[in-house]
Amino acid sequence: MDGVLIEELTTTAEFRESHRVMEQLRPIDESTYLGLIEKMQSEGGYRLFALRDGPDDEIRALAGLEMGHNLYHGKHVWLHELVVDEPHRGHGYGSHLLGWVGEWADERDCSRVELASGLWRDEAHEFYEENGLDRYCYTFKLELSTDSPY
């Protein structure tokens, strides 16, 4: 994809700019979004990458990830978010960014890229499988009582 730029977002202004795309996947207000990014970065090394394109280098897609270790995958990347701006879906931005994440992880000696996707997201599952990801397990959750919505 000519003219496409992928960069890590690191400033509050960049995170603020990314909110309009991220809220299409994670519908939270900007203040909560900014606070959670700060917390995730300090606690687990969360990183947010933007794919930019167009005459004004607008954000077309985002990938939020963490690199970590565990007993069953060793060093790996967990892809928390992958979202393409709604008006630009179907133009290859998601595939391009997902491929870039795989290359980024491989360059850092990770064994794999892994993600979870809601059972109801059939189109997302089809997209991931078309882009070489294998459906291989389920994730489970246990809701706990808390005062925090997050």
Side-chain angles (χ1 to χ4, degrees), residues 4-19:
V4 167
L5 169 69
I6 298 174
E7 65 179 2
E8 183 171 6
L9 305 183
T10 59
T11 68
T12 301
E14 291 170 333
F15 296 138
R16 207 174 251 116
E17 177 191 7
S18 72
H19 178 256

Side-chain angles (χ1 to χ4, degrees), residues 15-17 19-20 23 28-35:
F15 296 138
R16 207 174 251 116
E17 177 191 7
H19 178 256
R20 79 170 178 80
E23 73 179 336
I28 57 177
D29 65 82
E30 184 179 277
S31 176
T32 303
Y33 174 65
L34 296 174

Side-chain angles (χ1 to χ4, degrees), residues 106-125:
D106 192 45
E107 290 169 1
R108 286 154 182 79
D109 297 321
C110 293
S111 65
R112 70 196 66 227
V113 173
E114 192 169 32
L115 60 88
S117 181
L119 293 172
W120 61 94
R121 300 193 66 226
D122 294 328
E123 288 181 22
H125 304 160

Side-chain angles (χ1 to χ4, degrees), residues 37-103:
I37 285 180
E38 182 179 325
K39 184 178 285 277
M40 293 182 316
Q41 286 180 320
S42 67
E43 289 179 349
Y46 180 84
R47 299 173 81 168
L48 184 61
F49 294 90
L51 182 150
R52 295 180 178 275
D53 196 17
D56 296 325
D57 285 330
E58 291 180 28
I59 294 174
R60 301 288 194 240
L62 295 167
L65 56 84
E66 286 182 69
M67 189 167 37
H69 291 81
N70 59 32
L71 295 174
Y72 47 96
H73 293 315
K75 188 176 182 183
H76 67 284
V77 164
W78 184 265
L79 185 59
H80 290 280
E81 290 88 25
L82 181 70
V83 58
V84 176
D85 191 16
E86 179 74 38
H88 304 286
R89 292 180 186 166
H91 298 284
Y93 292 123
S95 295
H96 187 78
L97 186 55
L98 184 58
W100 181 89
V101 168
E103 291 171 11

